[in-house]
Amino acid sequence: MKKVLVVEDDKSIARFVELELKYEGFDVTVKHDGRDGLHEAQTKQFDILLLDVMLPGLNGIEICRRMRATSNVPILLLTARDAVMDRVSGLDAGADDYLVKPFAIEELLARIRSILRRTTRDDAAETLRVRDVVIDEQAYVATAAGDKLDLTKTEYDLLKYLVEEKNRVCTRDQILQRVWGFDTDVETNVVDVYIRHLRAKLPQVSNPYIETVRGVGYVMREDV
């Protein structure tokens, strides 16, 4: 049974989400305060966190930022604000996805399923490589020049996809479908945000690991 932590200060929304998730077979824990939610997330194991952005004590973006210092647990932000900068702030803090209120419960469930699909380890995993970037699927670890990369799950999935498709230019739409899921309605500029995150975590070399193909997408090449 997948474990979900819901941190939402609106108790009616929190209760509604809790009941729906339990009906779908999830084990749900609910907190209404940001600091309580952070403590729960740091001291117990969850498969996914649902964080409201506007919380008393500590906001959802700050919780996300602090969790990312030590954990790759999937995080879905729930926000009443639909401004691009608000969404980018959440993604920059390490969130895997966001959902704008008010939302249909079917959409929330679809987002959760999509995230959990992306973060499920493949038992038939293998080692993938481009240049000195190595992905050990069995250990769920990525390294570059021998050093472990501190990646969120979405960053890991993005890097893994680019490595799998080495020497082939991947369009933003293809990346969205593969990394975020076929049922996603995430905008294509989110891909650019995550590419920027990934580049910042890779070693800074004269020949960048990820090449931008203007007007098309991105590629990792074996030979540079």
Side-chain angles (χ1 to χ4, degrees), residues 96-115:
D96 294 275
D97 201 354
Y98 63 89
L99 187 59
V100 177
K101 299 177 183 178
F103 52 80
I105 192 63
E106 291 81 8
E107 182 176 9
L108 175 62
L109 292 170
R111 296 292 184 93
I112 292 173
R113 287 193 297 266
S114 178
I115 291 173

Side-chain angles (χ1 to χ4, degrees), residues 179-199:
V179 177
W180 275 264
F182 287 94
D183 55 356
T184 185
D185 60 358
V186 173
E187 298 173 6
T188 56
N189 62 357
V190 170
V191 173
D192 301 324
V193 171
Y194 272 85
I195 289 289
R196 187 171 75 246
H197 289 172
L198 200 49
R199 281 173 167 161

Side-chain angles (χ1 to χ4, degrees), residues 162-208:
L162 292 174
V163 171
E164 286 175 333
E165 301 297 326
K166 62 184 178 183
N167 301 319
R168 187 176 77 84
V169 178
C170 301
T171 68
R172 289 173 177 81
D173 285 337
Q174 288 171 332
I175 293 171
L176 277 178
Q177 290 180 353
R178 179 64 175 271
V179 177
W180 275 264
F182 287 94
D183 55 356
T184 185
D185 60 358
V186 173
E187 298 173 6
T188 56
N189 62 357
V190 170
V191 173
D192 301 324
V193 171
Y194 272 85
I195 289 289
R196 187 171 75 246
H197 289 172
L198 200 49
R199 281 173 167 161
K201 293 184 178 182
L202 288 165
Q204 305 306 300
V205 293
S206 57
N207 294 312

Side-chain angles (χ1 to χ4, degrees), residues 2-4 26 47-48 74 110-121:
K2 297 292 186 180
K3 295 184 177 181
V4 182
F26 292 97
D47 294 291
I48 187 169
R111 296 292 184 93
I112 292 173
R113 287 193 297 266
S114 178
I115 291 173
L116 293 178
R117 278 200 304 271
R118 299 198 307 266
T119 56
T120 299
R121 182 185 297 182

Side-chain angles (χ1 to χ4, degrees), residues 16-33:
F16 171 67
V17 171
E18 178 186 13
L19 291 174
E20 291 290 339
L21 291 179
K22 284 184 174 179
Y23 180 78
E24 294 293 327
F26 292 97
D27 180 357
V28 185
T29 299
V30 176
K31 295 294 178 181
H32 303 295
D33 177 85

